[in-house]
Structure formats: C-alpha cells, structure tokens
Amino acid sequence: MERHSRAESRETTSSNTSGCGYLLANRFYMYTLAGRLVGDEPNQDLIDLLVEDTTKDLVSVFMSNSSEAHRFLAKITNLTTTDGNAALDSLMSSYMRLFVGPAKLPAPLWESVYATGQKLLFQEHTLEVRSFYRREGFLPKKYRHVADDHIAIELNFMAALAKKSFDEACGENNGDEIARLAKAQISFLREHLTTWVGKLADEIEAADPNGFYAAALSFISAWCSKDLEYCLSTSCMWHQD
Amino acid sequence: MENYVIEQTEGKLSRRAFLQAGALTAALSLTGCSTNEENTLAETGDAPITDEELKPDADGKWVPVSCWHNCGGRCLNLGYVSDGVVIRQKTDDTRSEEDPLNPQIRACQRGRSHRQTVYAPERIKYPMKRKHWEPLTGGQKELRGKDEWVRISWDEALDILASELRNAYDNYGPDSVFCPIIQSHATPSGSGVLTASADNPMLSKIEKQFNENQTGFYKDEGIYAYRGWETLSVLASLGGYAISQGTGSGGAFVSMMLSVPNLLASFTFSGYGCDRLTNMQVENFVIFGSDLAWSAPGASTTYRTLLQYKNGGANFVFVGPNYPETCGVVDGKWIPVRNGMDTVLLMGIAYAMLEEEDELIDWDFMDTHVVGFDEEHMPPDGDPSLCYKNQLLGKIDGIPKTPEWASELCGVDAETIRELARICGKKNKTAFWTTPAPSRTHAGFYYPQAYYTIPCLGGHFGKAGHGAGMGGKDASFDAADVRLVSMGTSGIPKIRNNSPIAYKHTELWESIRDSKYIDTGGFAKFEKREVRDLECHVILNCGNSYFCSREGQFYAVEAFRKVDFVATYAMLYEPQAQYADLILPLSTDWEREGGIVDGRSRETLFCNGPIIENMYEGQSDQWIATKLAEKLGMDVSTLFPYTEKERLFNQIISATTFDDDGTTVVPLVTVTQEDLEKWEYSFGEPQEGKIGLQELMEKGYYSITRKEGDSFSVIKGKPFFDDPEANPLPSPSGKIELYSDTMMTALKNMGIDEALPVPMFLRSDTGWDGTFSDFENRVKGDYPYQFFTPHYPRGSHFVFDDVPWLREAFASPAFINLNDAKEKGVETGDTILLWNENGRILRHAAVTGRVREGCIAIPHGRWLNLDETNNVDIGGNSNSLCKPYPYGLSVSGWNSNICNFEKWDGEPLAADCDRPVNNYTMEGEE
C-alpha cells in the first residue's frame, strides 16, 4: 500500500480533483486518521502513518494557526526521536489505561456520557447518533453489540461521508446529493462531534496530563471545529458547475 | 475554484496541499486501514429513511428484564426496548398497589438501576491478560491487582486457560485446582450438602423433604446469581476440583443443616411458619435480626406483608444491635441487643418464662411434642442431667440463667427480658421470625435451639396466628418454601466432582496461601482436626465471587498472589478480576436467551426472553464452557446436550403449579404446536397449563391470585402438631429435640471441651467477651468495639457496589454510637480508620443513636480498594476486618467481630460516589 508521498505538485486531469476534490479527499484522510488514533490499539503501522510527511503536512496545512495541531505535531516528532519499541510500548500502556480498561475509564469515549452526564452507554442519545448513520445508509459493523456513539465510530462516519462527497463530486457530480451530504456533515458536526469531543479532550488531559493522547484528543477536537468551519465556508463549492 | 477556497479561508489553506496528488492517493488508500472492526461502519444498502421512521421510540416496547442477583427477593422489572436498546426501566404497575390478594411485585433501587450495570462503560468487553503474566509460573505474581492489561482474542484466552488447566491436572492433580463455588453445585443432584453426607441415615431420611422444601436454591439455576456450573462440568470431567465449604449467610442454621441432623429434623431448615394470609391472625411478631427495608426493599415484603399486619392491629418487636428501618415502618419496639448475644438473651427469656410458668408455658404442648427440655422428656440416649431446664436453672454449671445474668452479657435490661417473655407466653397469639443473621456468629451454634425453645414453651406451633420461621428477606413471614409455582429443570447434566477437597471458608485464604489443607473428617464433618500439605496451583473464578466475600480479605490478596494462575469470568472489573491473570468477559442475563426463576415469594415465578445482544465480546457461561471443552478435546454434546435456548425451554415446559384444590400438580405453561415450532424445540409435546407461553413471556411473571378461604394456606408442620404420634418428625425421638449429643460431640471434637448438648454461653475471641483482655474483671483489650455487617441498600452482597446511582444514594458509612463517637472525638462525616489484626479499612463515620453503644455497623458488600502504601482498604470491605476463625463448627461469623477505630490522620476519604471503585493505587501514583 503506497501511502507515503512527498509533496509533488502536478496537475491532474479531472477538474474537481484539482480543487475541492482535494479538500474532500484530505478531509477523508484527516477523519480516518483521527478514527484510527482513538479507535485502534497503537501499532507500528499507525506510528509510521503519523510520522510520515503527508500527515504532518495535512495537519499543519489544515490547522496552521492551531496550537492544538502544533502540540500534536510535537508529540509526533517525539515518536520519531524515541526508541521505536519503547514509544510503542508507552503508547500502548496509555491507550489501554485511557480507552480500554478494564479499570475505571477516566474519560469514556462515548458521546452519551457527555451529553447526559451519566456514565452509561446505550442511552437514547446513542439512538439519535444511530439514526444519523442509518439516514445515510450506514450502521456500525457490530450493530447492537457496540454503542454507536463511540468517538471512533463517529469519526469514521464523518470519514465515510467525506468519501461519499468526494466520490459524488468526482463522479456523478449531482448537486442535490452533494448539498445533502454537506448538510448532513455540517449537522453531524454541529449536533454531535463538536458538542462533546472538547469535554472529552479536557477529561483525557486531566487523566493523562500532557500525554500523547491528551494532545491527540485536543487535536481531534480542534480539527472537528475547524472542519465545521471549512464545511460551512466551502461546501457550496463542492459541486462543480 | 482553487482560488475561491483559498480566499474564503483567508489564505490559511495552502494551495500546495490541495495540489498534492500524492496526499490524495494517501488519503484514499487509508480506506479499510482500521485494525479494529468494532469501530467501523457498514453500508446498510437501505434507501434513506424518513425522520418519522427514525424516531428512537418508533419501535419501542416494554419487555420483562431480569434482575439476577441474590438479594433474597425476586421482583418484576421491565425495560423499554427501542432498536435493541433498553432506554429506561420500570417495575410492576399492572395491579392495584394495595390488593393483598394479588399484590404488585415492585422492584427496588437495585433492580431498577440495572442499566447502569449492563451498560456501564467499564463492562469487561474483551478477553484480557495481565501484562507481566507468564505461562505456567504466573510471571510477576506480585503485580496481580496492579498490573497493566493486554487485550487478547478469545482464541488466545481459551488456549491460555486450557493449557494452564491441562498443566495443573497433568502435573498436580484435580485437588490443585480451586473453584470458589457454592457447595450445592458440587455434586450431580445439585444438593451437594446432602449427597456428601448420604452415608448418614438421618440425612438420607430427610433429604427428600429438604430438597422439596428449598425455594429453588438447590435446584439448577434456581437463583441464577449462582452461575458457573457449566465450566465446573468441564473440570469435573477432567477429574474434579477443590471447592470450599462454609455456612454462608445461613450461619449456624447451615452448620445445623450440614452437621446436626437431629436438630435439622426437629426444626427443618426454615422452621414452622405460616403463609402470609394466615399470618394476618398474628397479634404479636417477635423478630430477630431482620431489616427488610435495607436488605430486600423490593418484592414488597416489607410494605405488602408487614404493613398489612400492622394495619390489622399486630404489634412488632425487633431484636438486633441496630434500629431496623423496618421497625420504623411498622412502629415496632426495638430491643438493642449486643451482636452475637442473642442466644444469651433467648436463654434469659426462657428462664423468665419459667419464673411465670403457669401463666406463660404450655406444658401440654411441651409434654407431647418436645424432648430435651426437662429430665422427664429426653431423646433416646439423651443424658437427663444435661437437659435444657437444668442448664437454665444452673444445675449444670451452678449459674442460673436469670434475666439478670442474661442482661449483663447481652445488654438488654432484665425487666425488658421479662416483658419479652410475657409476649412469648401461651395466652398470646405470637409468631416468631428470625433471619440467620443472629447465628452468623462465631459462637452461635446454639442459636437455633435457643430460638425454637421459646415458641415451644409458649406452644406457638400448628395453629393460625402463631408459628416460628427462619429465613431471610422475601422468604420472611410466608411459608416461602412450600411453593405454589415452580420452574422446571434444564436437562443439562451435572458431572460429579470427585475431588474430596473442600476448604473451609473460615480458613480458606490462609490455607491456600500457606499450602495447607485442614481436614476435619470429610465434608461438613467435625471428627478431628488434621492439617496436611496441599498446594493450590490454579484458582478459577467461574462462579461465585469469594475473593471479597469471605472473611480475611487481606489474606485473599496473599492467596491470589501465591498460586501459579488465576482466571476470572467477569462482567465488570470486580476485585477478583483485578487480581487475576486472565479475564474472560461474561455477558449479563440481559444478553442471553432469557431465563425463568422462582420468586422468593411462593406465589410467583418470573420469566423473560432475550433482551439485547451481547455487549462487545462478552459471552455466556455455556459458550465459554463449550469452547473450553473443545480446546480440551472433550465431547461437548455429552456435556451440553441442549442449546441455551432449548435449556430455557426445558425449564419452561416442565414448570408446575397447583390446581385450585391445592394438591394436584399441573403444568404451568400452555404450549402449542406453534410455540414448539417457533422455538424450534423438538423435545416435547403441546401441553395445557395455566398461562399461555406468549402471555408469560410478555408479562414476565406468573402469580397465583390468593383468595380468602382458598386451598393455598399453609400451617407448616400441622400434621405433626395435630397428632405427633401418628405423624412423627424424622428426628430420633419423632419429636422436636432441643437437645443434641451430636452437636456436643462435634464441638468437643473441635476442642470446645465445655460444650453441652443444650444452649449455653460459649466464650469466643470475637464476641462481646472478646473485646476484653480480662473478661472476668471487664478490662477492655486492644479491640474494644464489636462490629457487625448488615445488608445495606446499596448492594446485594458484593453486587452493585460499582453502580453510580447507588453509590450516590447510599454512602455506606460506618454507623457508630453517639457515646462511642464522642469518646473518640469523631463526628459524622469524619474519615475514620477501623482496624484489627486482620486488616484496616477507611470509612466515613455516621454517628447515630440507632446503633447500640459498643457496637459498630459496617455495611457489607464494598469492593476491596487496597492502598498498598498505607496498607489500608479504602473501599471499606468489612471482610478486610472479619476474622477467619475456624471455631467449633466453623460458622462464618460476620456478625461477631471486634475492632478499634479512630479519626484518620491521613488524607480524608472522598465519598464513594466521587472516586473510582477500583485502582486507587494506580491512580494515586500518577
């Protein structure tokens, strides 16, 4: 799988891939990356992905003035300067303690916890998130076995919609569908991700002060807010007249 | 287009980035890169759905949901299920709140907070292994309880378990594998206690009666908090496993049941009470060691039954070291006795009855029904000089057991004792109830005899308005063991356990820690005391949770850190999972095929179908046992001939009840051919019963509606009481025996040389007498306070302690008498250290007049939370203090212990609801 590529400016053939197409594709990249950061046990693949230039470029480009992004980039740089095994081991310990347990989770990764103040999965709020997925033709692969509003599933949902927008814009280019997808992404960001990931990031910060995952979560929170701005400001242009 | 984007974002987007074809390629190549499938989405392929269809409640409905724990009650819980999610709960609102003939079965705060258990973020979601665990040796065993965890696959987890078991069985034999499991599951009949003693003819004689009398406790899956026998079948097939044996919550009543057959035959396990409607005729209730409002506030026993009696004009006396909330409900009188001293109090009452014998004692009844009280009425081979009357009058030891004598020891003044005696007299309509709590004491062996003596003297048996029963919680004040509706059997065979090893609970953890086994002559026998070497290599926690729930919590930590391998099946990160090497995630009952269970009320049975899907990777006991058996190369079809669904249906189709005549047993459930097909069940035929299958599954319960004058009233033991010659008891004399040579011999065998065949005040290290360094001169010792461990509304034993709502609502402080607190300068809310030679705990103080002076109530059920730096359990588990004490018949004496306390000079303890239930040490270090 070729995913490492130094920036090489070149023109492409499709008109839409030269503009918002890139934005949409890169949004997909960012959400997928974010989903993996919190949803996957850290492994060498993930570390490789983080330290490669594409990631760093995208993070710095999308969020050039963001202190959260700079902090996260600094953490990524740390990964490259630390002994590989030790870095991974340390990441794994943090990941298990913060996100998997089995001991009391300092900051559960489910939206319902922050939306309701109840440390509880599978609440009515979870069903609202599920409804969102369902409306767009998605359900968690482990539907009914896992709570739908886990942060990684929500981020992956955004990735899936970003991908759909990209495919539509570069393919059929149906204006109504592109607008509908944009509206859905804006709504999901507004009603869900941006309402709680900041609180989650604060709690992770408290549980893991200045740790890698504290930086990752505050970066993800900042990214979601930033992306909402992007969507609001650019979505009317996703459709190529 | 490109320019527009850049302008709109004021140049913050780099043109360069957008033009990176490479980045685009990279972005798209990420598809499918996630390594964790549970966080991914799948396309449904469905057309867009309208908002109306998306309303979460659109497909919701109320379904019965189970509360599967051992609180002592059983209630109706319902969950509103929408799209596979239980979004709220309620309880029985189907009938009038006040109809005594067909009462509601309302659930308590515990049952109604089940969503907080099932949907807790801390559910064990995956198999986990301890990071520094090593195969066969355990690796760094000292890290158990504070190590990190690694998520593993089910396949790896089962491989680990299978190979550790294989290693233990091959190299050390079955006795090296210990399973903390309630003893009833140890043998195929499900009544291990009796099968193990089957060579005793007396027990054989009463076995049938005993088994029939149980409320489901000894039937398979009766109270399905006691789960885990599926894996035990696998271990039994490997050659067996060591179990542990103890008296549990039944206290001396269980030691009587196991080891003193003539008393069991005299009193039966649960005594001679009447059903709840017949009890409407009682004028005085004398109640020992019971607080239903705390222990089992659901199932409406307290309010349904006792309030009805109260409203009917009955008076109540409650005896115990703390004021029961229930006493307040019925405006009763509280007799504050020192804990562990109830036997002494009862001896004083008996003496006071003798003082006014003409007025109070029913000598006619005594003459025809009772032996062992006086020299003229003795059991075969009994020594008349050692009869109970002689003991009371001081003819054995020179000390008359006057109310004054009793008062000095038990703390109840002599006049109150005499008043109690008058209430117990023959002219009153008085009924007695005791829980096992007063006998959950180290020297409480004589409590059953002392207790039943009083209603014998007053002649309170065999007639409406009288009676004397024993039982906890929802079984109280009803002839709960004479069931009117009963679930059937599952058809899953239980494989006999051939290991003879049964560690005594009273020395369980030290035995394992020190690689010793104490043999007293066999299961529940007390013939000798022999210590031999026995090394435990594997602890498999696949059933009961004994780590926290037996005496000597600190020793349990040492034992767990001693053995080679510890595996725990767990729904939540309970302490015995925390201190394990391997955790296997268990599904809850809500995630299984459903269940059927007898209510503790004799009139009711509960049933439910599947409710939700398995959470994450949790699996059922049968699934785990099946996969383990496969790994071990066993024939799974022999071990588990039925699927879980078939097993449930077996129990449903064989459930029974009575016809209106009260004697004809009929099937409970009507099953049609269509039902059989729907359930894909091929082992039975359609049948006619009292309720249709679908209706039962939708309602979640079946209750017999009582009617005045119906055939379901019970006066237990009536045939014997009406005509003792024609209907003798299975005791050697055929009568109620207040005297037991068996008891005396067993106690003497265990080193209590002064033991008698009749009730006596036995000295012990942990009773009130144990608080003195010099008892004769009443000089207090190092541990001058008694404590006891009441059931508390937060939990059901050790279940529910992690539930946020319950932690918030029920703070679980240590309740300390005003005067004791004043002496120590302690006020309500202060953090206090309680300690003795067994351990140290922190609690907040609740200073109150509702606990007797000198006695401290430490609610049981808190999870260990060991701060190893300060060597103190900040979780406040009472078993960190309770003494493992193999005294006499080895009763687990949770209600007779001693300690000291003082204001804690370290950091004040946060409220339980404001701190994590576990892993204090790990967090504290960071």
Side-chain angles (χ1 to χ4, degrees):
Chain A
M1 186 190 305
E2 205 256 310
R3 60 168 122 83
H4 189 288
S5 177
R6 194 78 187 112
E8 294 269 343
S9 295
R10 65 183 173 91
E11 295 301 318
T12 57
T13 49
S14 161
S15 61
N16 209 356
T17 51
S18 64
C20 274
Y22 283 123
L23 173 63
L24 294 171
N26 289 328
R27 287 178 64 244
F28 168 69
Y29 184 100
M30 292 288 277
Y31 277 115
T32 307
L33 179 73
R36 286 196 59 183
L37 264 176
V38 285
D40 288 9
E41 283 184 11
N43 53 28
Q44 198 53 51
D45 275 358
L46 181 66
I47 290 185
D48 291 347
L49 185 67
L50 287 173
V51 301
E52 77 183 19
D53 291 341
T54 309
T55 297
K56 291 197 230 167
D57 284 351
L58 280 178
V59 171
S60 56
V61 163
F62 268 117
M63 306 171 66
S64 55
N65 286 345
S66 151
S67 59
E68 292 89 351
H70 288 300
R71 182 173 164 222
F72 183 52
L73 287 173
K75 290 286 176 194
I76 291 177
T77 306
N78 278 353
L79 288 179
T80 59
T81 56
T82 318
D83 164 53
N85 284 339
L88 190 55
D89 199 50
S90 158
L91 271 194
M92 182 62 103
S93 289
S94 299
Y95 185 86
M96 292 301 289
R97 185 175 74 83
L98 295 169
F99 298 159
V100 179
K104 195 85 184 169
L105 297 173
L109 294 175
W110 293 267
E111 180 177 339
S112 58
V113 170
Y114 302 88
T116 65
Q118 300 272 349
K119 288 205 171 179
L120 205 54
L121 312 186
F122 282 109
Q123 304 191 51
E124 282 184 78
H125 201 83
T126 313
L127 294 181
E128 288 172 23
V129 173
R130 180 184 292 175
S131 296
F132 232 113
Y133 300 162
R134 196 173 248 154
R135 181 162 31 219
E136 296 304 322
F138 288 98
L139 275 177
K141 238 180 209 163
K142 302 275 185 181
Y143 169 57
R144 291 194 175 187
H145 294 280
V146 303
D148 312 61
D149 55 352
H150 188 280
I151 184 173
I153 307 182
E154 293 198 357
L155 291 167
N156 285 337
F157 176 62
M158 282 302 295
L161 294 190
K163 174 81 162 40
K164 267 194 166 182
S165 294
F166 171 79
D167 288 345
E168 187 63 37
C170 298
E172 296 286 316
N173 197 24
N174 178 327
D176 289 347
E177 179 61 8
I178 289 173
R180 197 190 65 76
L181 284 165
K183 192 176 160 215
Q185 288 167 76
I186 289 167
S187 300
F188 194 73
L189 283 169
R190 263 192 183 146
E191 293 165 29
H192 296 287
L193 276 165
T194 59
T195 62
W196 70 281
V197 176
K199 295 181 205 167
L200 168 66
D202 291 346
E203 303 248 335
I204 295 286
E205 184 72 47
D208 186 30
N210 209 25
F212 174 84
Y213 282 106
L217 263 296
S218 65
F219 157 70
I220 290 170
S221 173
W223 157 248
C224 291
S225 302
K226 186 58 89 178
D227 187 50
L228 178 56
E229 286 175 28
Y230 286 140
C231 289
L232 288 169
S233 59
T234 70
S235 60
C236 59
M237 302 304 295
W238 292 0
H239 172 239
Q240 197 75 164
D241 288 327
Chain B
M1 171 66 203
E2 294 152 34
N3 293 338
Y4 180 82
V5 171
I6 294 163
E7 281 162 22
Q8 284 295 307
T9 54
E10 298 174 325
K12 285 176 192 164
L13 273 184
S14 158
R15 178 185 175 83
R16 188 177 65 106
F18 280 150
L19 296 181
Q20 285 171 14
L24 178 59
T25 311
L28 297 178
S29 71
L30 268 171
T31 313
C33 278
S34 175
T35 54
N36 191 352
E37 204 186 13
E38 76 182 30
N39 292 326
T40 57
L41 292 138
E43 297 206 46
T44 58
D46 291 341
I49 296 167
T50 67
D51 283 350
E52 187 55 36
E53 285 170 319
L54 278 171
K55 272 179 64 180
D57 286 2
D59 67 339
K61 65 173 180 178
W62 288 103
V63 302
V65 298
S66 49
C67 174
W68 61 91
H69 302 296
N70 177 28
C71 70
R74 195 58 68 211
C75 322
L76 183 62
N77 284 280
L78 297 145
Y80 190 78
V81 181
S82 178
D83 200 0
V85 177
V86 179
I87 55 179
R88 56 185 167 270
Q89 280 185 252
K90 69 172 182 178
T91 185
D92 192 352
D93 56 2
T94 56
R95 294 166 279 180
S96 157
E97 286 183 39
E98 303 298 337
D99 180 2
L101 298 174
N102 187 20
Q104 291 183 343
I105 314 155
R106 298 176 72 87
C108 78
Q109 68 280 353
R110 301 185 285 235
R112 293 166 80 168
S113 63
H114 260 63
R115 286 178 64 248
Q116 293 214 327
T117 296
V118 175
Y119 291 143
E122 287 78 24
R123 277 291 299 277
I124 305 285
K125 303 180 191 72
Y126 322 103
M128 313 281 283
K129 69 177 177 188
R130 195 166 61 78
K131 188 170 178 180
H132 297 92
W133 167 80
E134 296 287 340
L136 307 185
T137 63
Q140 290 175 258
K141 299 190 287 192
E142 70 280 7
L143 291 180
R144 286 181 185 141
K146 50 189 174 186
D147 206 348
E148 294 178 44
W149 292 93
V150 179
R151 178 179 167 182
I152 56 175
S153 68
W154 264 111
D155 198 47
E156 183 181 351
L158 290 160
D159 275 338
I160 290 172
L161 180 55
S163 67
E164 293 288 332
L165 288 171
R166 182 56 78 195
N167 175 61
Y169 280 95
D170 287 352
N171 295 313
Y172 312 112
D175 299 349
S176 71
V177 176
F178 170 58
C179 290
I181 190 79
I182 194 135
Q183 55 223 14
S184 56
H185 289 303
T187 55
S189 73
S191 57
V193 290
L194 292 171
T195 306
S197 310
D199 55 331
N200 182 319
M202 180 55 59
L203 282 179
S204 299
K205 200 170 161 187
I206 59 176
E207 179 173 9
K208 188 167 176 293
Q209 171 205 350
F210 173 75
N211 282 340
E212 284 173 356
N213 276 349
Q214 291 308 306
T215 61
F217 194 85
Y218 291 96
K219 283 190 204 165
D220 57 350
E221 299 161 277
I223 292 164
Y224 46 140
Y226 303 125
R227 57 179 76 244
W229 54 262
E230 292 93 339
T231 295
L232 297 185
S233 292
V234 176
L235 300 190
S237 302
L238 289 171
Y241 48 91
I243 60 166
S244 58
Q245 178 242 315
T247 55
S249 53
F253 287 95
V254 168
S255 64
M256 173 193 84
M257 177 182 80
L258 296 174
S259 311
V260 196
N262 79 307
L263 295 183
L264 176 60
S266 296
F267 309 138
T268 80
F269 185 63
S270 50
Y272 301 103
C274 301
D275 70 288
R276 63 181 182 87
L277 291 190
T278 304
N279 278 339
M280 289 295 288
Q281 299 177 50
V282 175
E283 290 171 359
N284 304 293
F285 284 95
V286 180
I287 299 165
F288 292 83
S290 174
D291 188 3
L292 294 163
W294 263 16
S295 60
S300 64
T301 310
T302 311
Y303 309 103
R304 177 185 80 190
T305 311
L306 293 190
L307 268 180
Q308 282 161 21
Y309 301 156
K310 176 69 191 167
N311 294 338
N315 300 308
F316 292 83
V317 174
F318 286 81
V319 181
N322 63 330
Y323 178 84
E325 295 294 335
T326 319
C327 186
V329 172
V330 296
D331 192 21
K333 180 178 170 65
W334 174 40
I335 309 292
V337 68
R338 291 192 179 105
N339 49 294
M341 287 297 183
D342 303 75
T343 300
V344 166
L345 171 65
L346 287 158
M347 291 170 74
I349 294 172
Y351 189 98
M353 291 180 82
L354 284 173
E355 287 177 336
E356 301 173 37
E357 58 179 303
D358 291 348
E359 280 295 303
L360 303 182
I361 297 182
D362 183 345
W363 287 117
D364 291 341
F365 178 86
M366 292 292 290
D367 186 44
T368 48
H369 291 81
V370 179
V371 298
F373 187 75
D374 56 28
E375 292 184 5
E376 293 72 39
H377 303 81
M378 290 300 291
D381 305 327
D383 177 350
S385 72
L386 297 180
C387 69
Y388 191 19
K389 191 175 175 186
N390 285 354
Q391 156 74 341
L392 291 171
L393 297 177
K395 291 184 180 174
I396 298 174
D397 60 0
I399 304 170
K401 311 303 177 301
T402 61
E404 283 71 19
W405 167 84
S407 174
E408 215 276 312
L409 292 171
C410 74
V412 178
D413 69 82
E415 269 325 294
T416 302
I417 294 174
R418 290 193 171 90
E419 278 173 34
L420 269 173
R422 290 177 197 121
I423 293 171
C424 301
K426 65 180 178 184
K427 292 180 179 169
N428 290 327
K429 281 190 162 181
T430 297
F432 299 78
W433 199 270
T434 186
T435 72
S439 79
R440 273 198 299 274
T441 54
H442 292 124
F445 319 113
Y446 294 107
Y447 180 78
Q449 285 159 279
Y451 167 70
Y452 284 111
T453 295
I454 306 302
C456 282
L457 289 172
H460 295 294
F461 286 121
K463 46 196 179 187
H466 303 259
M470 190 290 290
K473 332 274 182 56
D474 206 27
S476 310
F477 310 102
D478 200 358
D481 47 354
V482 187
R483 295 206 58 76
L484 298 178
V485 49
S486 302
M487 65 183 197
T489 51
S490 71
I492 303 280
K494 303 231 173 74
I495 315 296
R496 187 178 181 88
N497 174 20
N498 286 321
S499 168
I501 300 300
Y503 292 103
K504 286 188 175 47
H505 288 167
T506 47
E507 42 202 328
L508 168 63
W509 301 124
E510 301 100 307
S511 296
I512 291 177
R513 180 194 64 194
D514 301 338
S515 300
K516 298 289 182 205
Y517 179 65
I518 291 91
D519 187 355
T520 53
F523 189 92
K525 290 185 177 166
F526 294 92
E527 295 167 355
K528 57 175 184 176
R529 185 175 167 87
E530 196 176 282
V531 181
R532 43 191 170 88
D533 295 337
L534 176 65
E535 186 153 3
C536 176
H537 289 270
V538 170
I539 297 177
L540 178 54
N541 303 297
C542 60
N544 291 89
S545 185
Y546 281 180
F547 179 68
C548 280
S549 69
R550 302 299 121 171
E551 309 91 304
Q553 171 72 83
F554 283 35
Y555 312 131
V557 171
E558 293 168 348
F560 267 50
R561 285 179 176 163
K562 166 81 187 318
V563 302
D564 296 337
F565 181 67
V566 182
T568 298
Y569 298 5
M571 297 170 185
L572 293 151
Y573 195 51
E574 56 176 307
Q576 71 174 357
Q578 184 184 339
Y579 285 80
D581 297 318
L582 178 73
I583 308 177
L584 303 184
L586 268 184
S587 59
T588 67
D589 269 39
W590 285 18
E591 296 146 66
R592 302 192 181 189
E593 288 294 341
I596 180 168
V597 62
D598 293 341
R600 284 289 179 93
S601 154
R602 61 197 284 257
E603 300 159 12
T604 305
L605 166 150
F606 298 94
C607 196
N608 67 276
I611 301 157
I612 59 172
E613 299 290 336
N614 280 5
M615 289 274 285
Y616 296 83
E617 294 183 8
Q619 294 288 355
S620 68
D621 295 273
Q622 185 162 327
W623 185 94
I624 298 172
T626 301
K627 297 292 176 190
L628 177 63
E630 284 170 1
K631 290 274 183 198
L632 291 163
M634 292 177 181
D635 178 7
V636 173
S637 64
T638 316
L639 286 173
F640 304 107
Y642 299 103
T643 66
E644 289 172 72
K645 193 173 174 183
E646 289 165 348
R647 191 174 110 182
L648 170 63
F649 203 84
N650 284 342
Q651 292 181 288
I652 293 172
I653 203 167
S654 58
T656 56
T657 186
F658 288 100
D659 241 332
D660 289 346
D661 62 7
T663 52
T664 310
V665 177
V666 295
L668 174 69
V669 187
T670 297
V671 176
T672 64
Q673 187 60 39
E674 199 186 338
D675 290 328
L676 296 173
E677 284 160 17
K678 194 172 149 199
W679 280 69
E680 297 168 331
Y681 183 81
S682 55
F683 306 99
E685 301 291 325
Q687 65 180 31
E688 207 42 54
K690 295 285 185 187
I691 183 171
L693 179 61
Q694 193 178 336
E695 187 189 351
L696 176 66
M697 301 306 284
E698 283 173 4
K699 280 174 71 177
Y701 72 97
Y702 175 80
S703 269
I704 282 193
T705 300
R706 296 293 309 272
K707 298 182 190 71
E708 296 291 351
D710 64 17
S711 309
F712 301 128
S713 285
V714 173
I715 296 171
K716 284 176 65 184
K718 197 164 191 316
F720 164 72
F721 294 116
D722 284 352
D723 187 347
E725 297 301 324
N727 307 296
L729 295 178
S731 64
S733 63
K735 297 183 178 177
I736 291 178
E737 301 187 356
L738 299 176
Y739 172 109
S740 178
D741 276 332
T742 311
M743 166 86 93
M744 176 172 67
T745 305
L747 291 177
K748 286 188 174 193
N749 288 343
M750 292 299 105
I752 304 177
D753 296 334
E754 68 272 31
L756 294 174
V758 293
M760 63 184 292
F761 166 52
L762 262 188
R763 293 288 308 276
S764 80
D765 295 348
T766 55
W768 177 62
D769 44 321
T771 65
F772 299 94
S773 58
D774 177 357
F775 181 56
E776 276 61 41
N777 296 306
R778 301 293 191 265
V779 179
K780 283 283 185 183
D782 292 340
Y783 307 116
Y785 299 93
Q786 288 187 270
F787 75 89
F788 59 102
T789 62
H791 292 75
Y792 185 66
R794 186 192 288 176
S796 162
H797 299 299
F798 286 79
V799 177
F800 296 112
D801 196 37
D802 57 329
V803 172
W805 288 348
L806 299 172
R807 286 172 85 79
E808 196 176 322
F810 302 101
S812 198
F815 296 90
I816 295 182
N817 179 273
L818 295 159
N819 295 334
D820 297 332
K822 195 173 170 189
E823 202 175 288
K824 295 275 191 173
V826 164
E827 294 176 5
T828 292
D830 286 349
T831 301
I832 55 168
L833 173 73
L834 300 108
W835 80 96
N836 61 21
E837 79 276 20
N838 302 298
R840 291 147 48 93
I841 69 170
L842 294 187
R843 287 288 80 192
H844 293 109
V847 178
T848 174
R850 291 178 166 211
V851 177
R852 234 210 101 82
E853 194 167 345
C855 302
I856 301 172
I858 306 175
H860 96 308
R862 306 291 75 79
W863 289 6
L864 169 73
N865 192 336
L866 192 57
D867 170 357
E868 294 195 34
T869 312
N870 295 305
N871 194 36
V872 64
D873 170 15
I874 68 152
N877 182 5
S878 52
N879 277 319
S880 293
L881 301 180
C882 286
K883 181 182 173 75
Y885 189 21
Y887 181 64
L889 305 188
S890 274
V891 171
S892 285
W894 289 296
N895 286 332
S896 61
N897 275 284
I898 57 174
C899 70
N900 205 340
F901 77 96
E902 66 186 13
K903 206 162 161 176
W904 173 244
D905 55 12
E907 196 179 325
L909 182 66
D912 286 359
C913 61
D914 292 333
R915 60 171 182 80
V917 66
N918 48 29
N919 269 31
Y920 178 83
T921 309
M922 278 178 69
E923 297 212 346
E925 284 168 357
E926 280 163 14

